């Protein structure tokens, strides 16, 4: 499984960005798709995650500003980021957990990371 993330960049506070992540490869099903962020010296933290049934969980810091969506036909997950703040500056990593077999074996994959910089 390979993940191709895109959409990062430099924006001013209050502006928007949309991150995309395309998953390619073979799997039995996709258990979760989501995004994490990481800043220097800190551990990678969850931003938003969507489960197979469609339910979504967001970090408190992004609730009401970020929206996670998924296009199953394209195996793509999107993170729409609105009202961006300087504290949103981070490298954003796409994450997918696939169900590899009908027996339910799970495997975790990470994309290459895309930098989001929010600065005036």
């Amino acid at each position: 499984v390979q993940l191709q993330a895109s959409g990062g960049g430099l924006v001013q506070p209050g502006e928007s960005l949309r991150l995309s992540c395309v998953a390619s490869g073979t799997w039995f099903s996709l258990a979760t798709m989501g995004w994490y962020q990481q800043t220097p010296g800190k551990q990678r933290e969850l931003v938003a995650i969507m489960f197979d049934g469609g339910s979504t969980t967001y970090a408190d810091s992004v609730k009401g500003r970020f929206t996670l969506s998924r296009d199953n036909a394209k195996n793509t997950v999107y993170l729409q980021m609105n009202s961006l703040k300087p504290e949103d500056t981070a490298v954003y990593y796409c994450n997918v957990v696939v169900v590899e077999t009908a027996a339910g074996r799970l495997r975790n994959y990470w994309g290459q990371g895309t930098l989001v910089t929010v600065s005036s």
Side-chain angles (χ1 to χ4, degrees):
V1 174
Q2 292 185 329
L3 302 179
Q4 182 64 49
S6 62
L10 171 63
V11 296
Q12 294 188 346
E15 293 185 339
S16 299
L17 276 176
R18 189 177 80 156
L19 305 183
S20 301
C21 177
V22 182
S24 60
T26 58
W27 52 79
F28 182 75
S29 64
L30 292 173
T32 67
M33 299 185 80
W35 291 90
Y36 289 69
Q37 65 177 199
Q38 189 169 24
T39 54
K42 292 189 176 182
Q43 290 188 336
R44 205 168 289 185
E45 298 179 338
L46 175 69
V47 176
I49 186 170
M50 182 178 288
F51 298 89
D52 187 40
S55 63
T56 306
T57 296
Y58 295 93
D60 287 343
S61 61
V62 307
K63 285 180 180 177
R65 300 188 298 122
F66 291 11
T67 302
L68 189 67
S69 61
R70 176 173 163 176
D71 186 331
N72 289 327
K74 297 181 180 180
N75 294 323
T76 301
V77 63
Y78 305 97
L79 184 67
Q80 178 66 43
M81 304 186 294
N82 298 329
S83 303
L84 282 161
K85 304 175 180 180
E87 51 264 42
D88 295 320
T89 296
V91 177
Y92 286 72
Y93 292 92
C94 176
N95 175 264
V96 169
V97 176
V98 304
V99 181
E100 292 189 317
T101 67
R105 183 174 66 193
L106 302 178
R107 188 163 182 179
N108 191 38
Y109 292 91
W110 293 97
Q112 81 277 20
T114 184
L115 177 62
V116 173
T117 303
V118 185
S119 176
S120 55

